[in-house]
Amino acid sequence: MKLRGLLTPLFFTLLTVGIFTSCKKDTPNNPWDDYDLEEQLKIDAKIIEDYIAENDIDAENVAVENSEGEAVETGIYVAVTDSSHSEVYPNSDSLVEVKYKGYFTNGDVFEDTGDESIKFLLGQVIVGWRIGFTAVAEGDKATIIIPSPYAYGPVGAGPIGPNEVIIFDVELIKVSNGNISDL
């Protein structure tokens, strides 16, 4: 019985040490170790500029305010394709209802809600959506073009590979700054 009483604390100690030592930053093949954000943004900017030119898209580079209060372009482009003329814009704390189709610059679709809409808190999605949707008013239809660092970076997710520029055709159906039940 005494041995069993010693094994439990020993087990948890070894488990804790194992967890913390396995979380080191310089693990082999960690894509974030050698990731050059500025270089990747330059690569993606060229891809996006070419895509916009080839597809004759009238898009705006979305700017955000930096710590000095200056507007800084993000490299995330938004083209409002059907304006609702609404004055209601979401912020990163907004609850939104949207329909969307996500695809790559070659046109291959990786996700599509079809006629169904989804509801979510804008602060819980990729940074590209958090920033991009601030330039889309309630009721608008738009195209949001997102550089890879604002999407899934060097890791990718599901069908989205590492360092992929992704594009979304979106319809922002409803914006709420209250409860999700308001949508």
Side-chain angles (χ1 to χ4, degrees), residues 130-144:
R130 283 185 242 161
I131 294 171
F133 268 107
T134 63
V136 180
E138 183 176 75
D140 283 357
K141 292 181 180 178
T143 299
I144 302 174

Side-chain angles (χ1 to χ4, degrees), residues 20-119:
F20 284 115
T21 57
S22 67
C23 294
K24 292 192 296 189
K25 183 180 181 265
D26 11 323
T27 54
N29 303 319
N30 183 343
W32 294 102
D33 286 345
D34 297 320
Y35 188 64
D36 186 339
L37 174 66
E38 289 182 30
E39 182 62 26
Q40 190 59 49
L41 283 170
K42 287 178 190 174
I43 293 167
D44 289 356
K46 174 73 170 119
I47 293 168
I48 291 170
E49 289 166 10
D50 289 349
Y51 180 84
I52 288 172
E54 289 168 10
N55 293 280
D56 196 30
I57 298 172
D58 182 19
E60 298 285 325
N61 191 337
V62 180
V64 296
E65 194 173 289
N66 68 14
S67 59
E68 287 84 40
E70 303 164 334
V72 177
E73 291 181 338
T74 60
I76 298 167
Y77 284 81
V78 174
V80 175
T81 56
D82 187 7
S83 176
S84 65
H85 304 289
S86 172
E87 297 294 321
V88 179
Y89 289 86
N91 59 50
S92 63
D93 297 324
S94 297
L95 301 162
V96 295
E97 180 177 0
V98 302
K99 293 180 187 177
Y100 69 90
K101 176 175 77 172
Y103 53 99
F104 304 108
T105 56
N106 68 2
D108 289 351
V109 175
F110 59 82
E111 191 168 11
D112 190 345
T113 62
D115 292 332
E116 299 294 318
S117 63
I118 62 166
K119 300 173 185 178

